[in-house]
Amino acid sequence: RLGYVFSTEQLHGAAVEGDYRARDELTAAVRASLPRRQRDAAPIVAGAALLALEVALDRWQSSGGATPLAECIVDAFSTLERLGAIG
């Protein structure tokens, strides 16, 4: 997937622009769902969620589809959830 995205400057630029758009849209949605005092965390929450999804997709692709995508997503977001316990 990355090889394709980086194959031309135009494709890479479009992919980066798409990533920024997705992050901005998710940030706005997260911000709207958070209490006012926690809204500053919205970009971090959105970015972490998108990265967890990217990790899940990479793991699924690496398995050649042998591992169900849903399982990869659950695993990635479970890891994200456990980050709060790191101490």
Side-chain angles (χ1 to χ4, degrees):
R1 179 175 72 141
L2 284 177
Y4 178 75
V5 167
F6 288 110
S7 64
T8 70
E9 269 187 53
Q10 280 183 313
L11 285 175
H12 182 242
V16 169
E17 181 62 32
D19 287 348
Y20 282 128
R21 230 181 358 260
R23 189 184 65 199
D24 288 346
E25 290 173 12
L26 186 55
T27 297
V30 169
R31 183 175 281 120
S33 71
L34 291 173
R36 189 174 311 272
R37 69 184 184 287
Q38 294 176 338
R39 289 186 180 157
D40 287 346
I44 295 168
V45 172
L50 289 171
L51 184 56
L53 185 57
E54 185 176 323
V55 167
L57 288 169
D58 288 345
R59 289 179 181 166
W60 176 69
Q61 287 180 331
S62 293
S63 78
T67 305
L69 180 56
E71 183 179 320
C72 294
I73 292 171
V74 167
D75 288 347
F77 277 86
S78 293
T79 300
L80 182 59
E81 185 177 22
R82 289 192 306 272
L83 287 178
I86 293 177

